[in-house]
Amino acid sequence: MRRLLTTLMILLVVIIAGLCALVLLVNPNDFRDYMVRQVETRSGYQLKLEGPLRWHVWPQLSILSGRMNLTAPGASQPMVTAENMRLDVKLLPLLSHQLHVRQVMLKGAVVQLTPQSEAHRPKDAPIGPQSGGAPDDNDHGWGFNIARLNVADSVLVFQHEGDEQVTVRNLNLQMDQDDNRQAQVDFSARVMRDQRTLDLSFNAALNVANYPENLTASISNLQYQLQGAGLPRQGIAGQGAFNANWQEELKKLSFSELQLSANDSQLSGDGSVALKKDPQWLLNLAFAKLNLETLLPTQSTTGSSTVQRAQTGNVVPRPLIADNASEDDYSALRGFEATANITAQSILWRGLNFSNVRVALTNKSGLLTLSTLEGQLGAGHISLPGSLNTRQKPAQASFSPSIQNIEISQVLKAYNYPIALSGLLSMTGTFSGSQIDATAFRQNWQGEASVEMANSRLEGMNFQQMIQQAVERNNGSVKGQQFEENATKLESFTTDVSLDHGLLTLNQMEGRSAMLTLTGQGTMDLVKEQCDTLFQVKVVDGWKGEGSLVEFLKSTPIPLRVYGSWQQLSYSLQVDQVLRKHLQDEAKRRLNDWADRHKDSSKSKDVKELLKKL
C-alpha cells in the first residue's frame, strides 16, 4: 500500500510539474494573433481580444481572456460581446504545437442578431474562387479546433429589419460538435415583452456539414410556458417536437413532423416560409383537439352581462403602445403572403363543440380570402366563406354564411343573449363590416339574410294562451285550452332579416303550428337589447264555445305586439277591438238580413240607410 501511495504521489508531482513547466514555457499570448487570423480566414468575422491571455490550470487547463467581441464583415455593431472568455484546451496537443479547444465558455455575453450586426458585403468587394477551401492547419505553426460552445447567463437581442426589437434573457446554450459537424444543442431562455413572459427550453440535433448553404435540425423535448397580459390566468404551456431545414439560397425555412401541445390542445403538421420581401408562408396543420377556451382570454360579448364582465375582469389587459395606437388591427396581414389548409377534429369555443372543421385560406399582402370555413355543430352544419381586405382603410370584411339545422339556443347561450329561444336554425345571407368580432358585428355591420327555423320554442310567452285568456275575459261564452307550459311552439318559422349598425329588421315573418299561424314584422336592437315586433296571430285550434264566434276567431288574426327589453318583455293585445268589430259585423249582417226579408216595409229603407252610415 505504501508503494502504491508513493507511486501516486510521484505521478501527481510529475503532472503538477509538467503543468507548471507548460505555464512557464508556453505563453498563451502566442495564440492571440493565430486565433484572430484563423477566425477571420475561416468565417470572415473579426475577433477582438482585449487584455492579456492567461493560464488557468484548475480544475481544468484553460486560457482566460479579458473583454472580447466578434463582428461580422461589414457590420457596424459586434454580434457577440462578453466581459471574459474561457477556452478549455487539451494538454497533450500543446506539446506538438496544436491548440485543441474542447470548450469555449462565454458568461454574461450579449448576442445581437440585428440588421446592424449582420454581415454586409461591400459593393466593390472581389469575388474569390469557388473552389477555395479552408487553409490547412499544417501551414501554420499551430493547429486549431473547437468541439464545444457554452454560453451561460447571457442576453440575446433579436430584430428583423423594420420590426420591433426582442430581448431574450437568461440565455443558456450548450453545443457539442463532432468531427463530422454533427452538433447537439441544449437551449433555455426567458423572453419578456409587453407584460408577457415566455420560458423556453429544448434539445436539438444539428447537421451543420453544409452550413450555411443548408442546415437541418431535429428539435426534441421542447418545453414552453407563456404567461402575462392578454392571456388566460393559467397561461399557455405545452411541449413538442419537430424537424426543421434552412436553405440559404432560397432563404427558406421548412418544418415537418410537428407535434405540439398547448394546454389541452394538440397540433400536428408541416409548413415552410420563404423569407422574401414579403415572406411567403405555406402551412398544413391539423388539430386533434383545439380548446380555445383555455387558449384565449374570456371576452365580453354583450354589454349587459354581469357574468361576462366578471370573467373579463380576471384577464390582465395588454398595454397600449402609443406608436401603434392609431393603426388598425389587421395591418400585419399586409406584410406577408400565405396559403394554409387547417383541419380540426374538435374545436371548443364559448361552450360550442364544433367537429370536422376545415379551413382553406390565402393571404395576398393584406387580401385575406377564406374560401372554406366550415364544420359541424351538433347535427347541423355551418359554412362561413368570406374575405378581409386590409389594403383599404378602414378594412372591409365580408362573409356569406350558410347554416343548416343549428340549435339556436346554443348560440344565444354562447354569447349570453337573454333570449329563451330554441329550435333548429337555417340561414343564408351576406354580411359585411370593418372588424371581425362580436361587438363590431352588433354595432357596425350590415347585411341581409333569409332565415328558417324548425320546431322553435319561445319560453316565457304562450301566444295561444295569451289570446284565449283575453277572449275569455271579454266574452264568457268562449273558453280556451288550458296549458301547463308557458311557451310558444312553432313547427316552422321564416323571415327575411336585414342588419344595419345594430338594428335588425325582421320582414315577412311567417310561422305555423297545429294550434296557430302568425305573420308579422318588427325590429330588434342588438346594442340596447330591445325589440318591437307586431304579430298577426290566428289561433286555429283549442277553442270551446259558441260555434260562430269560434269560427270567427279561428279565421281572424289577432294583433299582438311584443316589445321592450329582452330580459323583461311586455306585450299588448287588441282582442276587445276584434270582438267589438265581430259584434258590429254580426249586427250588420242580421240587420241586413232583416231588411232583405222586409223589403216592402218602410222601416227596411231606414235600416238600409242606417247600415250605410255605420
Side-chain angles (χ1 to χ4, degrees):
M1 178 62 69
R2 182 176 300 176
R3 292 181 178 180
L4 177 61
L5 293 177
T6 302
T7 303
L8 292 176
M9 290 299 297
I10 294 173
L11 290 175
L12 181 60
V13 170
V14 171
I15 292 174
I16 294 175
L19 291 175
C20 293
L22 180 64
V23 171
L24 294 174
L25 297 176
V26 179
N27 185 357
N29 289 283
D30 293 343
F31 306 135
R32 176 196 298 272
D33 294 338
Y34 175 71
M35 288 190 295
V36 171
R37 186 168 60 253
Q38 285 295 298
V39 169
E40 182 177 6
T41 302
R42 294 173 180 269
S43 66
Y45 284 69
Q46 298 289 330
L47 174 64
K48 182 178 181 181
L49 301 173
E50 298 181 5
L53 302 181
R54 59 191 186 277
W55 286 112
H56 181 78
V57 297
W58 187 261
Q60 55 191 358
L61 185 61
S62 305
I63 298 176
L64 302 181
S65 76
R67 182 178 178 84
M68 63 80 63
N69 61 65
L70 185 66
T71 306
S76 59
Q77 293 181 1
M79 176 180 290
V80 181
T81 302
E83 292 300 322
N84 55 72
M85 178 176 65
R86 191 185 79 195
L87 305 178
D88 297 336
V89 301
K90 295 181 179 180
L91 174 62
L92 294 180
L94 291 175
L95 302 178
S96 59
H97 288 237
Q98 292 184 358
L99 180 62
H100 281 244
V101 180
R102 294 188 298 179
Q103 177 174 258
V104 176
M105 173 70 178
L106 299 176
K107 189 170 184 179
V110 177
V111 182
Q112 298 188 84
L113 301 179
T114 65
Q116 292 76 21
S117 66
E118 289 182 351
H120 295 281
R121 183 183 182 88
K123 295 181 180 180
D124 55 351
I127 300 176
Q130 298 295 326
S131 60
D136 188 356
D137 289 340
N138 296 327
D139 294 341
H140 305 276
W142 292 93
F144 187 52
N145 187 23
I146 298 176
R148 177 177 294 182
L149 173 64
N150 190 350
V151 180
D153 301 330
S154 299
V155 175
L156 170 65
V157 180
F158 180 80
Q159 182 184 25
H160 277 304
E161 182 121 20
D163 291 343
E164 186 180 351
Q165 193 174 89
V166 178
T167 301
V168 180
R169 302 186 182 277
N170 298 340
L171 172 65
N172 292 278
L173 173 67
Q174 177 76 51
M175 185 177 72
D176 297 310
Q177 181 181 209
D178 61 20
D179 296 337
N180 297 321
R181 303 193 68 186
Q182 305 294 315
Q184 297 292 327
V185 176
D186 296 331
F187 175 91
S188 66
R190 167 171 289 189
V191 184
M192 303 180 67
R193 183 184 183 192
D194 293 347
Q195 297 185 9
R196 290 183 176 182
T197 302
L198 172 64
D199 291 308
L200 176 66
S201 65
F202 62 83
N203 304 125
L206 303 180
N207 182 352
V208 294
N210 297 319
Y211 182 81
E213 288 79 12
N214 188 280
L215 173 66
T216 60
S218 178
I219 310 298
S220 60
N221 297 325
L222 173 66
Q223 306 280 342
Y224 72 93
Q225 184 174 31
L226 180 63
Q227 292 180 314
L231 297 171
R233 182 165 295 277
Q234 75 277 12
I236 301 174
Q239 56 188 5
F242 62 93
N243 296 327
N245 175 258
W246 168 255
Q247 296 174 277
E248 175 66 23
E249 183 178 358
L250 301 177
K251 301 293 182 182
K252 184 178 181 180
L253 176 64
S254 306
F255 67 90
S256 61
E257 300 183 26
L258 172 66
Q259 298 292 332
L260 183 67
S261 66
N263 293 346
D264 58 344
S265 301
Q266 299 87 36
L267 169 66
S268 61
D270 56 70
S272 65
V273 55
L275 300 180
K276 301 181 179 180
K277 179 180 180 182
D278 287 341
Q280 295 180 343
W281 288 85
L282 179 62
L283 300 174
N284 293 288
L285 304 176
F287 291 91
K289 178 182 179 182
L290 177 58
N291 187 352
L292 295 176
E293 295 187 349
T294 62
L295 298 178
L296 300 177
T298 304
Q299 298 180 354
S300 177
T301 53
T302 61
S304 64
S305 174
T306 304
V307 175
Q308 282 293 330
R309 288 199 301 269
Q311 291 176 345
T312 306
N314 293 331
V315 179
V316 179
R318 297 194 67 183
L320 295 177
I321 302 175
D323 293 340
N324 299 329
S326 61
E327 294 187 6
D328 60 81
D329 294 337
Y330 310 111
S331 59
L333 292 174
R334 298 194 289 267
F336 68 94
E337 297 184 0
T339 299
N341 291 285
I342 305 172
T343 61
Q345 297 179 18
S346 173
I347 296 180
L348 183 62
W349 182 60
R350 295 189 184 276
L352 301 174
N353 193 357
F354 298 89
S355 61
N356 300 323
V357 177
R358 296 193 308 117
V359 181
L361 64 85
T362 59
N363 178 49
K364 299 294 185 182
S365 301
L367 182 59
L368 177 65
T369 302
L370 285 163
S371 57
T372 302
L373 175 55
E374 63 179 4
Q376 302 290 128
L377 180 58
H381 181 267
I382 182 170
S383 176
L384 286 171
S387 63
L388 174 64
N389 187 351
T390 69
R391 297 175 181 177
Q392 61 185 53
K393 291 188 177 182
Q396 187 67 23
S398 178
F399 287 86
S400 301
S402 177
I403 299 173
Q404 291 87 37
N405 299 323
I406 296 297
E407 177 54 57
I408 185 63
S409 62
Q410 297 181 13
V411 179
L412 295 175
K413 181 180 179 181
Y415 284 91
N416 292 284
Y417 282 125
I419 302 177
L421 177 65
S422 62
L424 298 179
L425 171 70
S426 297
M427 180 180 71
T428 57
T430 302
F431 296 91
S432 62
S434 58
Q435 286 185 305
I436 305 176
D437 61 58
T439 301
F441 181 83
R442 294 196 316 271
Q443 296 178 352
N444 302 317
W445 279 55
Q446 309 89 36
E448 296 179 346
S450 297
V451 177
E452 298 180 6
M453 289 192 65
N455 301 321
S456 63
R457 178 187 175 100
L458 177 63
E459 301 289 346
M461 283 190 173
N462 189 324
F463 289 0
Q464 178 183 353
Q465 188 177 49
M466 292 158 54
I467 292 173
Q468 290 182 337
Q469 289 178 348
V471 170
E472 288 183 28
R473 290 192 295 267
N474 285 272
N475 191 321
S477 62
V478 176
K479 294 185 178 297
Q481 181 177 337
Q482 298 299 317
F483 295 89
E484 296 181 358
E485 297 178 323
N486 187 22
T488 299
K489 301 179 182 179
L490 294 174
E491 296 173 0
S492 65
F493 175 82
T494 62
T495 184
D496 293 331
V497 301
S498 62
L499 177 65
D500 186 11
H501 294 83
L503 187 63
L504 185 68
T505 303
L506 298 93
N507 296 313
Q508 299 180 356
M509 288 190 290
E510 294 184 4
R512 182 178 299 276
S513 72
M515 306 298 292
L516 60 84
T517 63
L518 62 81
T519 60
Q521 59 185 11
T523 59
M524 299 181 70
D525 193 320
L526 303 183
V527 178
K528 298 179 181 179
E529 297 184 1
Q530 296 179 346
C531 73
D532 190 354
T533 55
L534 180 61
F535 298 98
Q536 301 293 331
V537 184
K538 292 182 183 179
V539 180
V540 298
D541 199 358
W543 295 104
K544 298 179 182 179
E546 183 184 343
S548 61
L549 180 56
V550 169
E551 293 302 320
F552 169 79
L553 291 171
K554 288 182 178 180
S555 60
T556 302
I558 307 297
L560 170 62
R561 182 187 176 205
V562 180
Y563 61 95
S565 170
W566 295 352
Q567 295 182 344
Q568 191 173 3
L569 291 172
S570 302
Y571 72 94
S572 64
L573 277 168
Q574 300 177 8
V575 172
D576 53 345
Q577 298 178 8
V578 173
L579 293 177
R580 189 181 304 114
K581 184 177 183 302
H582 170 68
L583 292 175
Q584 291 175 350
D585 292 343
E586 184 65 19
K588 289 180 181 180
R589 183 186 65 78
R590 293 185 179 185
L591 288 173
N592 191 56
D593 290 344
W594 183 88
D596 290 340
R597 291 195 302 270
H598 302 82
K599 293 181 179 180
D600 298 334
S601 173
S602 60
K603 294 183 179 181
S604 175
K605 295 182 180 180
D606 295 336
V607 172
K608 290 287 187 180
E609 291 295 328
L610 178 61
L611 291 174
K612 291 180 180 179
K613 295 179 180 181
L614 293 177

